[in-house]
Amino acid sequence: MTELTLEWIEGGVSRSERIQPNQPSKNPGTVRIGRDPQRCDIVLSDSTVSGLQAEVYYHVGSQVFYLRSLRDTNPPIVNGQPITTGEVPLGTANTVTLGRVVLNTRVSAVPGGLPPTEVRPVPPTQVNSPYGTHAAPSPYPAPSPAPYYQSPAAADEQGPKVWVWIIAGVLVVGGGALAWPFVSDFLGLSKEPTVSQADSDRSNPGQDGSSPDTSPGSREDNVADLVTYEHSSGLFRINIPRTWQRKDTSKAGEVIVRWADRNTESSIVVDLFKSRRLSQQELGDLARRFITNAFGKETDFQVGQPKVLESGVVELGWEFSTRNDRLLGATYTEQSGDTVSVVSILVLRSNFDQVKSTFREILSSYRFDPSVDIP
């Protein structure tokens, strides 16, 4: 188990408060901060602090503490970035400013608990977006293990093809002017499930390891040699192009497997973990938060509104600019039992026509079994 410590100076006196998952509070599930002792668990007496200004909660799936603003005006500021909507993760060495009060954060492991998931602070970045509620998405890293792919600096030296590895490493997991606001329409998935629970009445892939009806002549792209990958635990299976390279960055309580293709700068990421029962709105918010945390600092980052497909899967479209192109992404989130599945795909816009039929087959082949424990 991990705990979050807030440290600050108020009236010349050093103060600190520790926050642990599921600790008793005035608003169960969250710890609220402000000047009003009737509504807040952590009370700051400075007159510049709002009566009820912010709250902190712990996300079990990502094992990260998040801060959420409770004020449209006088919002909390994290690392110099005003937080007017949504949530941001809190890690060691973050600063949270409430009025004139500056709180320093520290995440540590409780004796006998798991090491904390580290969230490194990133300087705030101005993001140009046409969406009013996402005009300044949070520029903080995703709540997932630090990627061991090449750094952005190395990517600039080697050209755009390394982008796919950087992005696959960062991922775990519309409307307006997005290039593909309704991704399922492009992929032909509107009337069929993309990801769903494995059960006995679904057909199995062919004995040769490839999906049925996969003759090369029927494809629009040249990456259609699909083989079936099944996780060693039996948790999920999916058909993936034979030539795509796989990386497994799973950790205790979360399975994360990524595939990438250097030729088309395409990637797909499967992320599964256990969680309390979430509504479709909460699943959409979860996907938007993960994606915004991961890519909000990228040039011209845009994210659409979650869309519930006929299958019940929640789809989220997003995109941002690279040096020479536009990168398109889509995240599909669903829950069966207590297992949450987050599947993300991404591709450069110039390569979309080449790989769209392959993505359609990949997403349609994906199955997960909620009865299997997360390793």
Side-chain angles (χ1 to χ4, degrees):
M1 185 173 66
T2 62
E3 67 178 19
L4 173 71
T5 301
L6 303 177
E7 300 172 330
W8 72 98
I9 297 176
E10 189 174 14
V13 178
S14 296
R15 294 184 56 189
S16 68
E17 291 279 354
R18 293 186 300 174
I19 301 174
Q20 295 184 349
N22 301 317
Q23 72 180 46
S25 65
K26 291 183 171 65
N27 187 62
T30 69
V31 173
R32 292 188 164 179
I33 309 172
R35 201 175 70 252
D36 185 353
Q38 301 299 318
R39 296 183 291 170
C40 298
D41 304 288
I42 299 177
V43 180
L44 307 177
S45 59
D46 192 284
S47 61
T48 61
V49 177
S50 299
L52 182 60
Q53 192 160 355
E55 64 182 4
V56 174
Y57 72 95
Y58 182 73
H59 186 269
V60 177
S62 59
Q63 301 178 22
V64 170
F65 288 93
Y66 285 85
L67 180 138
R68 177 188 293 125
S69 173
L70 299 177
R71 292 278 301 183
D72 293 329
T73 59
N74 194 28
I77 298 172
V78 177
N79 293 348
Q81 179 76 30
I83 308 303
T84 55
T85 61
E87 305 87 8
V88 294
L90 296 177
T92 296
N94 287 157
T95 61
V96 178
T97 303
L98 304 177
R100 288 190 296 249
V101 180
V102 178
L103 301 90
N104 296 305
T105 67
R106 176 165 46 88
V107 176
S108 57
V110 176
L114 295 173
T117 298
E118 181 57 36
V119 181
R120 294 171 293 176
V122 177
T125 302
Q126 183 62 39
V127 180
N128 299 319
S129 170
Y131 307 110
T133 58
H134 300 285
S138 169
Y140 302 95
S144 61
Y148 51 83
Y149 302 98
Q150 291 175 293
S151 65
D156 291 339
E157 295 173 0
Q158 298 187 29
K161 286 191 176 182
V162 77
W163 263 105
V164 65
W165 293 105
I166 298 171
I167 294 164
V170 174
L171 272 176
V172 244
V173 327
L178 285 174
W180 54 353
F182 301 108
V183 188
S184 56
D185 293 337
F186 282 90
L187 296 176
L189 296 167
S190 297
K191 292 180 170 48
E192 59 182 287
T194 54
V195 292
S196 55
Q197 177 181 356
D199 54 38
S200 59
D201 60 0
R202 287 195 171 94
S203 60
N204 293 321
Q207 294 181 354
D208 61 355
S210 62
S211 59
D213 188 23
T214 56
S215 59
S218 64
R219 300 267 163 52
E220 301 173 14
D221 54 71
N222 59 4
V223 289
D225 182 15
L226 302 182
V227 295
T228 298
Y229 170 85
E230 184 166 357
H231 193 263
S232 58
S233 67
L235 179 63
F236 76 94
R237 70 175 188 268
I238 189 170
N239 292 345
I240 294 291
R242 186 185 302 274
T243 58
W244 286 24
Q245 299 182 42
R246 184 178 78 247
K247 294 286 185 180
D248 189 324
T249 57
S250 302
K251 60 180 181 179
E254 185 173 12
V255 169
I256 308 170
V257 185
R258 307 168 169 90
W259 290 266
D261 176 46
R262 293 182 181 274
N263 293 324
T264 60
E265 290 85 27
S266 303
S267 184
I268 187 162
V269 183
V270 175
D271 188 338
L272 297 110
F273 54 89
K274 299 291 185 178
S275 173
R276 66 173 177 82
R277 189 64 190 176
L278 302 174
S279 67
Q280 288 178 321
Q281 179 178 345
E282 288 176 314
L283 290 173
D285 291 343
L286 171 70
R288 188 190 304 173
R289 183 166 60 248
F290 276 17
I291 294 302
T292 302
N293 287 339
F295 302 117
K297 64 182 181 293
E298 301 297 340
T299 302
D300 196 24
F301 170 78
Q302 299 175 22
V303 60
Q305 294 296 323
K307 172 187 176 184
V308 180
L309 305 182
E310 292 183 12
S311 62
V313 177
V314 180
E315 174 192 81
L316 181 70
W318 45 277
E319 63 183 65
F320 59 84
S321 295
T322 65
R323 286 193 305 167
N324 303 312
D325 206 337
R326 189 84 177 151
L327 192 140
L328 310 179
T331 297
Y332 298 89
T333 308
E334 71 164 311
Q335 184 173 24
S336 182
D338 61 353
T339 301
V340 174
S341 166
V342 183
V343 177
S344 294
I345 63 175
L346 50 110
V347 62
L348 290 177
R349 179 163 55 189
S350 58
N351 291 332
F352 177 68
D353 286 341
Q354 182 181 356
V355 299
K356 65 180 181 181
S357 65
T358 293
F359 274 140
R360 180 166 57 242
E361 292 191 36
I362 291 173
L363 292 170
S364 297
S365 72
Y366 175 67
R367 302 286 185 268
F368 73 91
D369 187 347
S371 67
V372 176
D373 292 333
I374 302 293

